[in-house]
Structures are given as C-alpha cells and as structure tokens.
Amino acid sequence: MKPVRYGMIGGGQGAFIGGVHRIAAAISGNWQLAAGAFSSTAEKSKASGAEIGVDPGRTYGSWAEMLEREAALPADVRIEAVAIVTPNHMHAAPAIAAMEAGFDVIIDKPLADTLVNATAIAEAATRTGRRIAVTHTYTGYPLVKQARDLVAGGQCGKVRRVMVKYTQDWLSRASDLENNKQAAWRVDPAQSGDAGAFGDIGTHAANLVEFVTGERISEICCELNMLPGRLIDDDGAALFRLSGGGKGTLTASQVCVGDMNDLQISVYCDEASLHWRQEQPNTLAVKRRDRPDEVWHAGGNRPYLSPDILAIQRTPAGHPEGYLEAFANIYSAFAKQIRGADVAGDEPGYATMEDTLSGMKFLRAALESSRQGAVWVTL
C-alpha cells in the first residue's frame, strides 16, 4: 500500500503524545510524515520540524498556513491527512478547517474540549464527506479485540456487570504541576475543557466498556473530586447502566498513589467473565463457574485467536507488544480505509464519530451528575 502522506498539528518540542503518534504511524508502515505545524509559535515549530527531520519548506508557522499551502500543492505531493495532537481546546478549529480543505483527519482523544465543539467536528465531517478517526489507544490491543469477539459471539452470555478502572498517580502531589507542560494544560479548564481526569483517562475507560460489550453507556451517577487548589477533577467514580441492561462501575483518577497506568476491565456475563489489564496486555483471563480458569495469550499463531486478531500481531509469542503497537494498529486501519482497502473484523479498527460523541456525552453527563450531588443522569 502506498503510504498516506500526512501533516501534523502540534506535537513539537516538549510534547509527549506527538512523538507517540509519529512512532505509531512509522510502525504501521503505511503513513509518511510530510509536513507539520508543530507549535503555536513559528520559531518553535521550525525548530521542532528540524529535530523531527521534516523538510524545512514544509514546516509551517501555523496550522492555517499549513492547510492553505499544502492544499495549493499538486495532488500527488500535498498531504492527504492531518494528525491533530494539540491540547483539547485546539482540536475543533483545525479539524474542521482541515476537512474543509479536503484532508482526512486523525485526532487524539477526547474529540474536543466540549460537546458543542465535538458536535461541530462531526457536522463538518458529514458536510465535507471527509473521514475522521480518533485514537482511543486501548481498543488497538489484540486481546481487547478478542474480548470483544467473545462477547459479541455469545460464548460468555449476556453482559451483567462491568468493572473498569483507570488509575494513575502522576498528579498526586502539588509539586507535580511545577515546570510540567503535560500537567499544566490537563489541569487548566481553558485548555482541557471542563473535565480533568475524567476527560483525559475516564474517556478511555468508558470507550473500553462500550467497545468490549458492544453496548452504550445510557445512564450515569458520578462523583468528581479534586485536590485543594485544583480547578478541575483529578479523581472520580461513577455507577453506570448499559443500553442492554447491564450495570457497571467506573473509576478514573490521577491521584492514586502507587498506580502508574493501571487500566483494568472485568466483564461479567451469564456464563463467563473476561479480565484484561493494560499493564499486562498480552494476557486475557477467561473464567467460568464449572471449568478451570483459562489464560489466553497474544503473540504467535495461536489457533484460539480470531483471524483478524492474528493479523494485527507483530511479535512472536512471549515477546512484549503493547502501547505503541496498539496505537499503530489504529493508524494502520485508518490508512487502509483512506486507501479503500478491506479491514478485517466487525469494526473499522479505530474510534468513529459515533463512538467519540458517545464519549463526549459521557463526560457531559458525568459533570452534570457530580454538580447536582451525584444524581442519575441520562446520556
């Protein structure tokens, strides 16, 4: 497949997620970074482009300049897609402008800082006919997809209860905000939006629930908390109800001391339960009442894995494969759609507009519920 030429907005010096996107795109093998507007200042953008190795003539001082000048290039030279890796408040304007300029868009989660801006992005995608993907990373893991297949195939029975948690400790001290670019924008509602930890990692947890169960979160009862001096939530927990009748609990916190990046999900069905943990991503526990527990492994040509799962694995059995490869699976699937190639399985391989709008509605409901004293709110 001919690589998709893309330009990046954001992700320059001092940024974390931009480098992850570039590495994932490179691992996927079907993307080529051709241009960029890597910072909010022209000087820093140029310096970042030089470090990354982008042609100085296609390293731009602003995203508006990049879109205008790239659109004027010959069709076989200009970029074909835009990756947006800015703080949340800077998602909507460049995403909409990119689609209006004729480019497809891949954007870091959450879709936007507010549901209003997220809806504007979705409307622009419909109006322009452009494709857009959102990088909810954890759905790119092979065994997360296998868990989805097991639930969808009926082997486990009807979903009764889901327990999901995403806990970190990197914001657990006041000093964690000092000279920390990544922390600064996440605790600033002007850049992050009204949600803090729930927007940053709670959306991952909610997306994982909906992806694995195949059901939408329909109602939520939520309490959000923050350390003294903070302006938006850094901790929270919620009860939720699923569209199919199941119930669940969701915890998202960035102040749980001792937890690094502990995303875990357990799905309890009529006949079996499934258990997956991001810090041990190559194993999936399948438990039943009247049979020995099973541990399913990713890697290698294991016949119990679905064919579409085997197709996205990159390493032999026993070799670590995780976050970057999962990210790369999302990039790879989106490039295949742009090129019109078939994607194996029952889902496109990335979060769609419907998926991410559901996540934004989840955030709105969580905030509304907490502000009213943890009442039930319908999404």
Side-chain angles (χ1 to χ4, degrees), residues 91-173:
H91 285 188
I96 293 169
M99 288 185 284
E100 290 177 341
F103 303 120
D104 295 322
V105 172
I106 186 165
I107 189 168
D108 202 55
K109 63 78 217 159
L111 182 59
D113 54 343
T114 66
L115 181 58
V116 171
N117 283 336
T119 301
I121 294 173
E123 290 174 347
T126 300
R127 182 176 67 253
T128 63
R130 303 314 308 180
R131 307 170 187 86
I132 186 165
V134 180
T135 54
H136 274 290
T137 321
Y138 304 102
T139 61
Y141 281 90
L143 289 181
V144 169
K145 292 180 180 289
Q146 184 64 60
R148 173 191 171 93
D149 285 357
L150 289 171
V151 174
Q155 293 97 318
C156 300
K158 183 178 173 61
V159 175
R160 288 179 173 173
R161 175 159 294 278
V162 181
M163 294 189 293
V164 64
K165 57 163 281 191
Y166 198 159
T167 49
Q168 304 170 331
D169 70 356
W170 72 294
L171 297 179
S172 59
R173 299 171 179 166

Side-chain angles (χ1 to χ4, degrees), residues 258-279:
D259 284 7
M260 292 181 288
N261 199 62
D262 199 8
L263 172 61
Q264 299 184 45
I265 186 168
S266 293
V267 180
Y268 296 90
C269 303
D270 293 340
E271 300 298 330
S273 62
L274 306 172
H275 309 266
W276 181 82
R277 185 179 185 184
Q278 191 275 152
E279 292 184 355

Side-chain angles (χ1 to χ4, degrees), residues 215-267:
E215 301 179 16
R216 295 294 184 197
I217 295 174
S218 58
E219 297 175 88
I220 186 173
C221 175
C222 180
E223 180 183 63
L224 300 177
N225 312 294
M226 64 189 78
L227 294 181
R230 301 277 169 88
L231 299 177
I232 48 179
D233 64 282
D234 47 33
D235 171 87
L239 302 173
F240 63 83
R241 295 167 180 159
L242 290 169
S243 56
K247 309 293 195 300
T249 58
L250 184 153
T251 300
S253 177
Q254 292 172 320
V255 297
C256 284
V257 175
D259 284 7
M260 292 181 288
N261 199 62
D262 199 8
L263 172 61
Q264 299 184 45
I265 186 168
S266 293
V267 180

Side-chain angles (χ1 to χ4, degrees), residues 320-339:
E321 183 172 347
Y323 181 72
L324 293 172
E325 291 84 359
F327 231 114
N329 286 336
I330 293 171
Y331 263 88
S332 178
F334 191 46
K336 288 177 181 176
Q337 188 192 63
I338 291 173
R339 290 286 182 250

Side-chain angles (χ1 to χ4, degrees), residues 11-12 14-22 182 186 323:
F16 162 70
I17 203 64
V20 171
H21 277 254
R22 291 190 293 270
Q182 301 309 311
R186 284 176 169 82
Y323 181 72

